[in-house]
């Protein structure tokens, strides 16, 4: 029987031996490594917190927009008859929000009558309108105008301004 020759590896290619006998010893962390990890977790925590705050404020704003009892509270109001599954409704909502951004906070109120809910469907039926519609009300809750279909934000700015001027004129005379 032949003997196998054992080759010796060059001195620089051998792995250093571990003091505890295993090759998977936990790495000893130092202060620099701990601070790096703390920074990473801090950034992650800040991102999660900011996302949570945004989500809560968005949900709160959406809930407030669905409160149709605000109609007639003294502020001119735009009510969108809205189906969240309708692309035209979503497009109109974007145009309406763009137009509303041109006005100061507290000048106009924007509400949504979601026709997928009983309240929204009842509101639309009460006013005899379908979705993809904006109904403009003065501060007393009297219907002033109905805009059916999609409109550009420029058209909506003009109509919202007209509603605001007529509401202010009726306040001054009443």
């Amino acid at each position: 029987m032949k003997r196998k020759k054992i080759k010796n590896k060059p001195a620089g290619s051998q792995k250093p031996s571990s003091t505890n006998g295993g090759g998977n010893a936990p790495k000893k962390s130092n202060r620099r490594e701990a601070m790096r990890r703390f920074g990473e977790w801090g950034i992650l925590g800040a991102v999660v917190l900011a996302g949570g705050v945004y989500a809560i404020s968005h949900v709160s704003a959406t809930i407030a927009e669905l409160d149709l009892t605000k109609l007639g509270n003294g502020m001119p109001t735009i009510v969108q008859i809205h189906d969240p599954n309708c692309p035209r409704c979503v497009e109109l909502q974007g145009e309406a929000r763009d137009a509303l951004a041109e006005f100061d906070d507290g000048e106009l109120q924007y509400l949504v009558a979601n026709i997928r809910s009983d309240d929204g469907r009842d509101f639309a039926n009460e006013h005899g309108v379908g979705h993809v519609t904006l109904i403009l009300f003065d501060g007393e809750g009297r219907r002033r105008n109905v805009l059916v279909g999609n409109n550009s934000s420029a058209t909506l700015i003009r109509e919202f301004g007209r509603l605001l001027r007529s509401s202010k004129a009726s306040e001054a005379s009443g």
Side-chain angles (χ1 to χ4, degrees), residues 29-154:
S29 64
N30 57 25
R31 185 179 300 166
R32 182 175 292 159
E33 182 67 22
M35 292 305 289
R36 185 184 66 78
R37 284 192 185 133
F38 178 75
E40 289 172 356
W41 282 104
I43 291 169
L44 178 64
V47 168
V48 168
L49 179 64
V53 168
Y54 172 78
I56 289 170
S57 66
H58 180 72
V59 168
S60 297
T62 301
I63 290 170
E65 286 179 352
L66 296 172
D67 184 5
L68 297 173
T69 64
K70 292 180 177 181
L71 188 62
N73 66 355
M75 188 181 302
T77 304
I78 294 95
V79 178
Q80 179 176 355
I81 310 302
H82 182 71
D83 179 351
N85 296 328
C86 168
R88 290 182 61 214
C89 289
V90 173
E91 182 182 334
L92 177 60
Q93 190 172 47
E95 294 294 334
R97 289 183 194 280
D98 288 348
L100 287 165
E102 297 297 316
F103 297 90
D104 292 335
D105 288 342
E107 279 188 308
L108 293 169
Q109 179 173 241
Y110 176 73
L111 300 176
V112 175
N114 181 346
I115 63 170
R116 299 255 174 198
S117 71
D118 291 338
D119 289 343
R121 191 172 28 260
D122 291 345
F123 186 87
N125 289 338
E126 178 184 328
H127 290 279
V129 297
H131 63 290
V132 195
T133 302
L134 297 174
I135 307 174
L136 284 58
F137 295 91
D138 65 13
E140 302 302 313
R142 293 182 297 254
R143 191 166 86 178
R144 294 296 183 186
N145 198 0
V146 176
L147 304 171
V148 178
N150 286 15
N151 288 283
S152 69
S153 58

